Amino acid sequence: ETGVTQTPRHLVMGMTNKKSLKCEQHLGHNAMYWYKQSAKKPLELMFVYSLEERVENNSVPSRFSPECPNSSHLFLHLHTLQPEDSALYLCASSSTQGTEAFFGQGTRLTVV
Amino acid sequence: GIQVEQSPPDLILQEGANSTLRCNFSDSVNNLQWFHQNPWGQLINLFYIPSGTKQNGRLSATTVATERYSLLYISSSQTTDSGVYFCAVANTGTASKLTFGTGTRLQVTL
């Protein structure tokens, strides 16, 4: 098993759909993150969960809703997205002490 | 927030050549990582190096924290080294809230 696993790897959704991205880590970490990578823009931090509590929300629109039910799982619930939300969404995990972060393979999302 | 600049933005090398990638950051950091993004989008960890020097095979990295820069050296480059190299830093006390640079796109040709 890889350290951080994301599903699905690819997702195409309409603007009225609701879908969820899933992330699972097997590294014993207790902090998890969602990042967004759009074309021609640097990777942007979206959400941070530390010990299952959300500690950061970087002005992300409410159509993105994160959930962290336990230290091993992280979800990103999507609803009424816009075409400009099409991007690569990456999940990461680390210890809360700020050491090395590890990333999943990413979910490539296309909103049509 | 902290600013991260990488140079050069693009680099084309012939197989076997050496290269140096640079990362400058605007504030003190307690985490600095180098990643290689493969064509499928996955970020592969290369180094966790908030200070000092590390080597792993043909790759090595040096971070001079007092002068706010890090260097990634690639020696005897191979076509499989192609891709985008990212530097990312964090300067917060808890959790690895990374700020990424814009990357260096490397193409290694035969």
Side-chain angles (χ1 to χ4, degrees):
Chain A
E1 278 244 26
T2 56
V4 183
T5 304
Q6 290 185 242
T7 54
R9 297 292 305 278
H10 300 270
L11 179 61
V12 179
M13 61 185 288
M15 290 190 284
T16 58
N17 291 158
K18 290 184 181 180
K19 296 285 184 184
S20 297
L21 310 185
K22 179 183 176 183
C23 177
E24 185 173 0
Q25 61 95 4
H26 305 276
L27 299 170
H29 290 157
N30 45 26
M32 297 187 77
Y33 314 78
W34 281 114
Y35 287 83
K36 176 183 178 182
Q37 186 177 30
S38 305
K40 317 253 180 191
K41 289 178 73 174
L43 280 99
E44 305 169 88
L45 179 64
M46 300 175 71
F47 299 105
V48 180
Y49 276 83
S50 178
L51 298 172
E52 301 157 40
E53 183 178 333
R54 192 192 310 182
V55 296
E56 186 136 339
N57 173 348
N58 279 347
S59 304
V60 179
S62 59
R63 57 186 183 269
F64 295 90
S65 175
E67 179 189 3
C68 187
N70 55 62
S71 60
S72 298
H73 293 86
L74 183 66
F75 296 88
L76 187 62
H77 304 299
L78 316 171
H79 64 97
T80 59
L81 294 192
Q82 305 298 308
E84 59 264 30
D85 297 322
S86 299
L88 179 68
Y89 289 85
L90 290 158
C91 171
S93 72
S94 77
S95 72
T96 53
Q97 285 73 33
T99 54
E100 189 173 8
F102 292 85
F103 283 76
Q105 311 96 312
T107 295
R108 195 164 295 280
L109 173 68
T110 303
V111 181
V112 297
Chain B
I2 193 167
Q3 306 297 313
V4 182
E5 293 181 357
Q6 290 186 244
S7 60
D10 296 280
L11 186 58
I12 300 176
L13 299 175
Q14 265 201 318
E15 197 171 43
N18 303 327
S19 61
T20 301
L21 283 56
R22 186 175 180 104
C23 172
N24 292 333
F25 44 94
S26 61
D27 203 349
S28 60
V29 298
N30 59 12
N31 182 352
L32 188 146
Q33 293 184 240
W34 282 98
F35 298 93
H36 176 211
Q37 188 167 40
N38 67 21
W40 298 272
Q42 183 164 12
L43 289 173
I44 309 297
N45 288 43
L46 298 178
F47 294 101
Y48 168 73
I49 188 166
S51 63
T53 298
K54 291 187 178 180
Q55 180 159 6
N56 184 1
R58 296 182 295 104
L59 302 182
S60 63
T62 295
T63 297
V64 184
T66 53
E67 297 186 22
R68 299 183 184 168
Y69 73 88
S70 183
L71 302 173
L72 177 68
Y73 305 97
I74 305 175
S75 64
S76 305
S77 57
Q78 301 175 358
T79 55
T80 51
D81 294 330
S82 296
V84 183
Y85 289 79
F86 288 102
C87 168
V89 303
N91 64 353
T92 51
T94 58
S96 293
K97 292 184 273 189
L98 295 171
T99 299
F100 280 76
T102 50
T104 292
R105 184 173 299 275
L106 173 65
Q107 183 180 352
V108 181
T109 62
L110 292 172

